[in-house]
Amino acid sequence: LVAAFAAMLPALSRALRREMRGSLPRCLAAATARAAVRLPAARMTVTTLAEPQMLCYQCEQTSSGKGCMTQGVCSKTPVIAGLQDLQMLFNLRLGQLAHLAGSAGPSQTAVRHTILTTTFATLTNVNFDDAYFDRTIRETAALVAELEAF
């Protein structure tokens, strides 16, 4: 799953940049649909899932200034890199929805706190705990759902 997610990131990033010219509510959904990449069956092996590769470019320590590809220079694992990337995508969506909802939107304090703490944990490499990111991704997803229903 993490390898498949990592393979989708470049296409998702390109699609997000294209869609940013459109309306923000449709931006992430349209970009995700366009970036949905099916990996060839030959590339999806047990080894790939057991030892996923990564592309981590989240800090200044990246290998050769190009990003870490197998294990982070900072000792980050591919699983943590994938979880952090997923958290940042949720933060993007959360920020978009909070902006659209304005001050009348629900849970503005929780939105600010979530974006601040999870971005800090990701960009400063202070937390490599799978359980932390699993919890914060679930919490962020709940906030996204709340704002989408608003």
Side-chain angles (χ1 to χ4, degrees):
L1 179 61
V2 173
F5 177 72
M8 283 181 53
L9 283 178
L12 181 59
S13 178
R14 286 189 303 275
L16 277 171
R17 283 194 298 274
R18 277 193 311 268
E19 292 299 323
M20 287 306 283
R21 292 180 291 246
S23 69
L24 288 177
R26 295 189 314 262
C27 173
L28 191 59
T32 303
R34 286 186 184 163
V37 176
R38 292 221 175 241
L39 296 178
R43 290 187 56 200
M44 293 298 291
T45 65
V46 174
T47 306
T48 302
L49 295 175
E51 302 175 52
Q53 299 296 303
M54 67 186 221
L55 175 59
C56 181
Y57 48 87
Q58 296 167 343
C59 73
E60 74 283 350
Q61 300 173 25
T62 60
S63 179
S64 303
K66 297 178 183 176
C68 298
M69 306 286 268
T70 55
Q71 174 86 18
V73 172
C74 61
S75 75
K76 183 184 297 181
T77 66
V79 171
I80 285 292
L83 289 171
Q84 287 180 338
D85 287 340
L86 184 58
Q87 179 66 61
M88 295 308 292
L89 288 173
F90 268 107
N91 285 358
L92 172 66
R93 181 65 175 151
L94 187 58
Q96 291 171 338
L97 291 169
H99 176 73
L100 291 173
S103 60
S107 307
Q108 289 299 310
T109 302
V111 168
R112 288 185 193 101
H113 181 263
T114 298
I115 291 174
L116 179 66
T117 57
T118 57
T119 301
F120 178 82
T122 299
L123 297 181
T124 59
N125 286 334
V126 298
N127 193 335
F128 293 159
D129 181 17
D130 293 64
Y132 170 81
F133 283 102
D134 181 58
R135 180 178 53 79
T136 60
I137 288 169
R138 290 175 194 277
E139 290 170 0
T140 308
L143 284 171
V144 165
E146 183 181 349
L147 284 169
E148 284 177 337
F150 178 70

